[in-house]
Amino acid sequence: MTAPAISVVICVYTEDRWEDILAAVASVRAQSYPALETLLVVDHNTALLDRLAAEYKEADGPVRVLANAGPRGLSAGRNTGVAAAEGAVIAFLDDDAVAERDWLRHFAEGYADPRVLAVGGRTEPVWASGRRPDWFPEEFDWVVGCTYRGLPPGRVRVRNVLGGNASFRRTAFELAGGFATGIGRDGDRRPLGCEETELCIRISRARPDAVLLIDDRAVIHHRVPEVRERFAYFRTRTYAEGLSKALVARSVGAAKGLESERRYTTRVLPAGIARGLRDAALARPGGAGRAGAIVAGVLGAAGGYLVGTVRARRGGTRFAVPPVEVGG
């Protein structure tokens, strides 16, 4: 099968991440498997749009700067990128992450099987303080947008890929529509998520024989700012995840919407608590803190889920699934 052309979409929203954005683009342009193009989608920030357009006006590689054509937020920005992309595969990279040199090569290999409609990768945290906080459990690295303990290693079939390090066939969007708006992130507001989970479930429903993969050789390194190393952010993010999961469950049903989470909460997290308590008994740094953080994270997510479920039933929280006119 012919190797697919890959468009890379990077959604950006603030000039505070200027150096991060440049580093993200540079990592795409340095790939061993060259991207067809890099699309920078700017989320309703005219100053940033103009600055990036000037920066890449005479770039050697194909870099296009676009304005988010939809409502404010990450989902609409991604949909704008999908609509403009010309590649057979569309990859997404966070604006504060850099990809390893073979990132796109491993994605491309996954699409040798025509049933594969999505391939994700492994995201490693780069802590602003230089090291993981002692109390921060690896089981909750999803809080900072990274691959967490409990995901299977290697190239494996999954229910959903993780949005900051993911790729999809263009046909997946033709089958299932775009990323749902009203569910994902909106700049620095409450850190909601799960839009990629909801999309992947829709893809699998639209095509039951679809295969979605994570290949842990497709690695990116994601910067974790100091504010996200604090327990206050941890607590807020787990609560927001519960809110988001309630929306997804309301849309696709709890059986599918919480399929992966059941194993995570009944097997992965209890093992994490046991490790933390064992480390505490052995006087290892952070053991008790990690065990406590896991309990707090579960309670926060559960609280968010209950509140989100009540809101969804009352019709107070909604999201929309827009059709996407795929580019190319």
Side-chain angles (χ1 to χ4, degrees), residues 9-120:
V9 174
I10 303 174
C11 295
V12 304
Y13 71 97
T14 175
E15 289 181 276
D16 292 342
R17 292 187 177 180
W18 179 257
E19 296 300 328
D20 292 332
I21 296 168
L22 299 186
V25 174
S27 75
V28 174
R29 297 170 74 181
Q31 289 294 298
S32 62
Y33 184 99
L36 175 67
E37 59 186 346
T38 302
L39 306 177
L40 287 170
V41 183
V42 183
D43 192 16
H44 298 270
N45 184 332
T46 302
L48 180 58
L49 180 74
D50 293 342
R51 188 178 179 187
L52 285 170
E55 177 72 21
Y56 292 107
K57 182 178 181 180
E58 299 180 1
D60 293 334
V63 179
R64 288 196 280 157
V65 180
L66 310 170
N68 179 1
R72 187 181 301 275
L74 180 57
S75 290
R78 286 173 171 167
N79 290 338
T80 297
V82 170
E86 297 180 357
V89 169
I90 303 166
F92 298 91
L93 178 66
D94 277 346
D95 64 343
D96 53 356
V98 293
E100 291 192 359
R101 179 170 170 76
D102 292 329
W103 177 60
L104 290 182
R105 182 175 300 280
H106 293 306
F107 277 174
E109 290 171 357
Y111 291 102
D113 182 344
R115 298 174 302 162
V116 173
L117 294 187
V119 182

Side-chain angles (χ1 to χ4, degrees), residues 108-306:
E109 290 171 357
Y111 291 102
D113 182 344
R115 298 174 302 162
V116 173
L117 294 187
V119 182
R122 176 162 54 93
T123 302
E124 295 286 351
V126 179
W127 304 96
S129 62
R131 59 187 295 272
R132 173 187 296 274
D134 287 341
W135 63 269
F136 202 113
E138 292 182 13
E139 291 81 2
F140 276 82
D141 277 5
W142 56 263
V143 165
V144 291
C146 295
T147 300
Y148 55 90
R149 182 193 288 265
L151 287 177
R155 183 194 286 175
V156 294
R157 191 167 181 172
V158 293
R159 179 196 64 181
N160 63 275
V161 297
L162 306 180
N165 180 8
S167 64
F168 298 85
R169 286 194 197 272
R170 286 174 51 195
T171 52
F173 298 104
E174 295 169 355
L175 283 168
F179 290 92
T181 58
I183 187 174
R185 285 181 179 267
D186 177 0
D188 290 319
R189 297 183 183 181
R190 174 171 284 164
L192 299 174
C194 294
E195 65 274 23
E196 66 275 358
T197 300
E198 194 273 339
L199 171 62
C200 288
I201 293 172
R202 268 191 285 121
I203 291 170
S204 295
R205 285 187 166 181
R207 184 172 164 182
D209 67 336
V211 174
L212 285 68
L213 301 173
I214 284 183
D215 187 337
D216 67 4
R217 299 172 302 166
V219 180
I220 69 170
H221 299 268
H222 184 268
R223 189 174 68 82
V224 181
E226 187 175 349
V227 67
R228 296 187 183 183
E229 296 184 8
R230 299 171 185 165
F231 183 73
Y233 179 82
F234 180 92
R235 182 178 55 202
T236 300
R237 179 68 184 90
T238 55
Y239 177 77
E241 183 75 1
L243 291 175
S244 301
K245 281 290 190 294
L247 281 174
V248 172
R250 183 70 171 172
S251 172
V252 302
K256 196 66 178 176
L258 300 177
E259 181 180 50
S260 298
E261 288 73 15
R262 288 191 180 91
R263 176 186 174 276
Y264 173 72
T265 55
T266 58
R267 295 176 61 183
V268 175
L269 295 185
I273 293 172
R275 274 191 301 273
L277 294 176
R278 179 199 62 197
D279 288 348
L282 295 172
R284 293 173 179 166
R290 289 191 296 276
I294 291 174
V295 173
V298 171
L299 293 176
Y305 184 83
L306 289 174

